[in-house]
Amino acid sequence: MPVFRSEKTAQSGEKNRLGPPSPQGAQGAKSVPLGSARWGLRRFGRLALKVGALGLALAILAFWAAWLYVPQVDCRFPVSPTLLDREGRLFYAQLAADDHWLWPVGYEDMGPWLPKIAVAAEDGRFWAHPGLDPLALARALAQNLWNWKIVSGASTVTVQTIRLLQPAPRTLGNKAKEFIQALKLERRLSKREILEMYLNLAPFGGNLKGVGAASWAYFRKRPADLSLAESAVLIAALRGPALYRPDWRPGRAKARRDLLLSRLAQKGAIAAAEAEAARREPLVAARHPAPQKAPRFAEWVLKSHPRPWVWGGPDYLGLATSMNLAYQERLEFRLTQALGPYPSRISGAGALLDNATGQILAYVGNARPNGPAGYVDLAQARRSPGSALKPFVYLEAMAQGLIVPATLLADTPLGLDSQAPRNFDRLYRGPVTAKMALANSLNAPAVRVGRWLGLEKVRLALEKAGFSFDPGRDYGDSIILGGGEVTLLELLRAYAILARGGESLELRVAFGSAGPAQKAPQPGREVFSPEAAWLVNEALTEPTRLPLSLAGDGWAFKSGTSHGYRDAWLAIYGPVRTAVFWLGDPKGAGSPDLSGLKALGPAAVLFFRDIGPGPAWPAAPGGLEKHEVCLLSGEPLGPFCPEGRSAYRLRAHAKTLPCRVHVRQNGRVVAAWPPELAGYMANLEFQGSPRPKVVSPFPGTVIRYPGPGAGVPLKSEATVGPVYWFVDGEFFQAVGPGRTPVLPLTPGPHRVSLVDDRDQTAYSDFTVVGGSLEPEIPVLRLKKSLGD
């Protein structure tokens, strides 16, 4: 039978279970406190869970709020404007906008040691953590609490990068902000990008930032070329850039380097043998200036291709240019040689162009950077070109069918009114061919050709070639002879158009992100007849204008000397490259020895020899044809012409009217000179006489050198009046009719040439074998019959 507790007993038990123990029952007094303790623990556990959950929720909420509130760090910072040559090598740098030297280096260009040592020394778990290192945080917290002061940090490479991007006081709030921004940065950038930014921002003493500037400043090397020991010097300096500067405190820097190398070996980051070899390497460091080669070229590029020059901006790792440093060094050297005989007030400039692409390969804006006007870019200054524009007048006249190279022109003052120009040597030569007039830069024939063409067409032709003139000025004939000012760059492009067979091109100095496209050949458009351009190029390759030591390479060239000997010019080109040189006083004063060919001929030819072999000119274009012309008039061979020769003409402008100079009068052939030549030739008889020639030494002769004192007689035929003999381009002797000079023999190849009283020329090449041949020093002494 079940036993039921009384209501009172039940209530009493309930009280004992829920309330304090009853004083009556000893057994109840012992059991109630145990139940009460369990109840308290359970209640405290529930409360703790609630508080913990609430704390966690608040922490997550606070972190989320901070994540939303704290902005992402701005990764843009000023970098130095840097220029790279065509091989990707740095050759010019400027201070950044914040007055620091910082030229960025890509991760792949930092070499094998710098990134590896930086991670091992600064943040061993960099590649694994998300921007904060929990183990490093725990270690730092324990050490700091134990010592009751900050003795250890937990900054990762990412956190240090944040600190370098936005320096701020070291407070707890800023620290928390840096941690959040570090986590955000890891979500935006890859590990390599963060490490790359860190090594480009890190200070290295003074106003140096980044491994690019530091490796150059202390070791004059690119980061990729640093040794293990040199890389360790830079990374060791991160803990105290001023304290461990290798140029100021080499002893401390070496001790810090060796300690770092030992620790890296202990960690297994490098082999013990590598560390030992690096410790034995002497520390040689000094503060080197920033690279600033080709400063005028660099200024031109930076001005014409503006960039923001901030990290991550266009071309922030360096603007790729067309510069060829090897060619640049040779151009500077040859211009310095050319300036040798002249006073310091005379400066020079020059530039080299690739004809196919329009790239400027070398550029000297001022060959006397320490001179009175050393900071002036003379390659872009407007100066008188002298005779350097004449080829383009002949070019347009040939394209119009007005002349061909064999056309007879008058080098006389007759028919030019009172404004007849004189030649450079103040002489007139009478009848000359267009080719000879162009090659020898004769003034009167050039003016005649310009007038036949029309001065308005002359100006249009020059503008087609890229020259610009004052639109409100009427230059008259002077535009042909240098009356309109031009720049060296305009001449460079114009002669490159000639070299390209009349095709236009634009000058290029920088590639940027469009590098591959801009390195490709320019298609160009036809601005001049390719046939006429070929004929002009052939005329300008005439080698007899240079001494033998400089002739024979096949380059085309044209000189120019401005009025008053203020400017000396020389353009030299082949199918591949074109160069233009200039000498003069930046202030415009003249110099009596300043003439284009004499001042710049040797430098230009030797420079082209420095950079490559002689040119291989293309064959005559299909629009040209050869035909027989009168030896004198250059017109199609007529029935009374005593002698003919083969010459080129344009098919499109072929003329059939025979020679009008040779006519039959009173049963004999005479020369009916045009009015501009008739007076000049009145006292000269010309019945179709043969051309003069050198008969001793006979062309192609090889003479065995018999020894000192031996000589060879110089003999000619069909010369008129006194004969002026030249040997290897230098004046030798003038003799009257019937006299035979003797040339002393020296071993080697030689050329003898002559000019008679009628300005007819001839030459003979011969060789003396045997003996010893001393190296030649090119010295240019030009005969009077050559113009400039």
Side-chain angles (χ1 to χ4, degrees):
M1 181 175 180
V3 178
F4 296 97
R5 291 183 297 172
S6 65
E7 184 178 349
K8 185 176 180 179
T9 303
Q11 290 177 356
S12 175
E14 188 69 21
K15 287 180 180 180
N16 289 339
R17 187 172 64 86
L18 299 177
S22 172
Q24 290 100 5
Q27 188 172 356
K30 293 180 181 179
S31 59
V32 170
L34 180 61
S36 178
R38 290 174 178 170
W39 173 85
L41 288 173
R42 286 196 296 270
R43 186 174 182 183
F44 178 78
R46 287 195 296 270
L47 180 62
L49 286 174
K50 290 179 180 179
V51 171
L54 179 61
L56 180 61
L58 290 175
I60 293 174
L61 183 62
F63 178 81
W64 182 249
W67 182 272
L68 295 176
Y69 172 76
V70 175
Q72 296 202 40
V73 67
D74 186 359
C75 292
R76 295 173 301 174
F77 52 89
V79 301
S80 294
T82 51
L83 301 181
L84 311 177
D85 74 349
R86 61 191 303 104
E87 304 299 329
R89 296 170 295 186
L90 176 71
F91 72 90
Y92 187 87
Q94 284 183 351
L95 281 170
D98 61 356
D99 291 330
H100 281 87
W101 292 109
L102 191 164
W103 46 86
V105 180
Y107 185 91
E108 62 279 1
D109 296 322
M110 290 182 178
W113 296 118
L114 283 171
K116 183 177 182 179
I117 298 174
V119 169
E122 298 293 317
D123 187 359
R125 288 180 288 275
F126 170 73
W127 300 106
H129 63 64
L132 302 178
D133 187 347
L135 295 179
L137 282 171
R139 172 185 52 76
L141 181 61
Q143 290 179 349
N144 295 336
L145 289 175
W146 179 263
N147 292 278
W148 204 242
K149 62 179 180 180
I150 297 177
V151 296
S152 177
S155 294
T156 61
V157 164
T158 311
V159 173
Q160 292 183 60
T161 304
I162 298 295
R163 196 173 298 141
L164 292 170
L165 284 169
Q166 51 178 32
R170 303 292 295 276
T171 64
L172 186 61
N174 286 336
K175 193 77 171 177
K177 179 181 177 182
E178 290 168 359
F179 284 175
I180 292 174
Q181 288 179 324
L183 294 172
K184 286 189 172 186
L185 189 63
E186 291 269 353
R187 292 169 61 88
R188 289 169 54 195
L189 303 178
S190 69
K191 288 287 188 180
R192 281 179 52 142
E193 290 172 329
I194 293 172
L195 184 57
E196 175 187 86
M197 188 182 300
Y198 170 69
L199 289 174
N200 276 288
L201 270 171
F204 286 97
N207 62 345
L208 295 177
K209 282 186 179 181
V211 294
S215 60
W216 177 268
Y218 295 136
F219 302 110
R220 207 174 180 84
K221 292 182 178 180
R222 299 180 303 166
D225 298 330
L226 294 178
S227 67
L228 170 59
E230 292 165 339
S231 301
V233 168
L234 296 186
I235 301 303
L238 292 175
R239 294 299 176 94
L243 189 62
Y244 300 113
R245 274 186 63 166
D247 59 330
W248 281 5
R249 298 179 172 89
R252 287 186 178 183
K254 184 178 185 304
R256 183 72 185 176
R257 177 200 73 177
D258 294 346
L259 177 61
L260 175 60
L261 289 169
S262 298
R263 290 179 176 175
L264 292 174
Q266 291 172 3
K267 293 180 178 180
I270 59 175
E274 290 176 327
E276 180 61 28
R279 284 193 294 268
R280 289 197 300 269
E281 186 175 313
L283 175 56
V284 180
R287 181 64 186 264
H288 300 284
Q292 291 191 328
K293 298 179 180 179
R296 304 289 84 80
F297 175 80
E299 291 169 0
W300 176 27
V301 172
L302 292 173
K303 183 178 180 180
S304 59
H305 295 76
R307 297 289 189 272
W309 294 113
V310 294
W311 181 270
D315 303 307
Y316 73 101
L317 291 176
L319 178 58
T321 72
S322 57
M323 172 60 61
N324 184 309
L325 287 179
Y327 292 171
Q328 178 72 15
E329 290 173 1
R330 299 312 300 170
L331 179 59
E332 291 174 357
F333 174 72
R334 293 304 180 186
L335 274 170
T336 301
Q337 275 191 329
L339 286 170
Y342 297 97
S344 59
R345 67 180 179 85
I346 301 297
S347 188
L352 175 70
L353 176 74
D354 181 271
N355 295 336
T357 63
Q359 298 169 26
I360 302 291
L361 304 177
Y363 183 95
V364 177
N366 197 315
R368 288 201 197 269
N370 300 319
Y375 287 92
V376 178
D377 189 346
L378 299 169
Q380 303 199 40
R382 303 199 72 80
R383 309 283 300 205
S384 168
S387 298
L389 303 188
K390 288 176 184 173
F392 303 96
V393 180
Y394 284 85
L395 176 65
E396 186 67 12
M398 290 182 185
Q400 298 289 333
L402 299 177
I403 61 171
V404 293
T407 297
L408 178 67
L409 298 178
D411 184 24
T412 71
L414 303 176
L416 294 176
D417 305 323
S418 60
Q419 301 179 3
R422 291 183 298 181
N423 291 316
F424 182 77
D425 56 8
R426 300 178 183 272
L427 299 175
Y428 292 106
R429 290 162 181 75
V432 295
T433 65
K435 180 178 179 179
M436 178 183 176
L438 173 57
N440 291 316
S441 196
L442 304 180
N443 287 337
V447 170
R448 293 187 193 278
V449 172
R451 290 187 179 182
W452 293 348
L453 184 61
L455 293 178
E456 185 60 33
K457 288 186 178 179
V458 168
R459 181 165 180 160
L460 291 174
L462 293 174
E463 290 174 347
K464 280 197 304 182
F467 300 107
S468 58
F469 302 102
D470 183 352
R473 181 178 172 186
D474 182 9
Y475 292 92
D477 293 335
S478 72
I479 198 171
I480 302 169
L481 305 177
E485 294 181 335
V486 302
T487 69
L488 184 147
L489 291 176
E490 287 178 343
L491 273 175
L492 184 69
R493 180 172 59 179
Y495 277 95
I497 290 174
L498 258 181
R500 287 164 58 96
E503 282 191 354
S504 66
L505 85 165
E506 296 299 323
L507 302 183
R508 292 173 173 173
V509 293
F511 306 139
S513 58
Q518 294 203 25
K519 291 180 181 178
Q522 291 191 38
R525 57 184 179 84
E526 185 179 302
V527 292
F528 291 108
S529 158
E531 293 80 13
W534 191 91
L535 294 174
V536 170
N537 291 338
E538 185 192 39
L540 295 181
T541 58
E542 173 55 47
T544 56
R545 297 173 289 165
L546 290 171
L548 184 61
S549 59
L550 297 176
D553 294 293
W555 292 297
F557 64 93
K558 180 69 184 77
S559 61
T561 304
S562 67
H563 178 71
Y565 301 95
R566 294 181 175 89
D567 305 272
W569 298 90
L570 195 131
I572 182 170
Y573 63 97
V576 178
R577 288 179 285 267
T578 298
V580 174
F581 296 77
W582 172 87
L583 293 186
D585 186 336
K587 295 182 179 180
S591 180
D593 293 330
L594 205 62
S595 66
L597 197 53
K598 178 181 178 181
L600 290 167
V605 172
L606 294 176
F607 172 63
F608 260 45
R609 288 181 182 175
D610 289 341
I611 65 175
W617 289 96
L624 292 177
E625 64 179 8
K626 279 192 171 183
H627 69 132
E628 288 298 309
V629 298
C630 173
L631 183 64
L632 177 63
S633 69
E635 295 177 335
L637 198 63
F640 306 120
C641 297
E643 189 174 355
R645 65 184 179 93
S646 179
Y648 280 106
R649 67 180 176 185
L650 279 71
R651 293 181 188 273
H653 300 289
K655 296 179 180 179
T656 58
L657 185 66
C659 172
R660 293 166 293 176
V661 172
H662 290 109
V663 296
R664 182 179 292 277
Q665 290 181 356
N666 302 323
R668 63 176 188 165
V669 174
V670 297
W673 298 104
E676 61 269 22
L677 280 169
Y680 184 89
M681 301 298 294
N683 297 322
L684 296 177
E685 292 184 3
F686 188 86
Q687 300 289 334
S689 302
R691 295 175 61 84
K693 54 186 170 182
V694 178
V695 295
S696 175
F698 195 77
T701 301
V702 177
I703 303 173
R704 176 68 60 181
Y705 180 63
V712 61
L714 301 182
K715 297 181 180 180
S716 63
E717 290 182 354
T719 55
V720 177
V723 176
Y724 300 87
W725 288 96
F726 298 83
V727 179
D728 296 340
E730 298 182 22
F731 177 73
F732 175 63
Q733 194 173 340
V735 297
R739 295 183 57 192
T740 302
V742 176
L743 172 67
L745 291 177
T746 57
H750 300 284
R751 169 174 288 186
V752 294
S753 55
L754 64 83
V755 179
D756 68 4
D757 201 41
R758 196 185 291 160
D759 287 313
Q760 299 180 103
T761 64
Y763 68 90
S764 171
D765 292 330
F766 68 100
T767 304
V768 180
V769 298
S772 61
L773 191 61
E774 296 295 328
E776 288 186 280
I777 301 176
V779 178
L780 193 60
R781 297 187 181 94
L782 299 178
K783 59 193 178 191
K784 288 181 63 179
S785 63
L786 294 186
D788 202 55

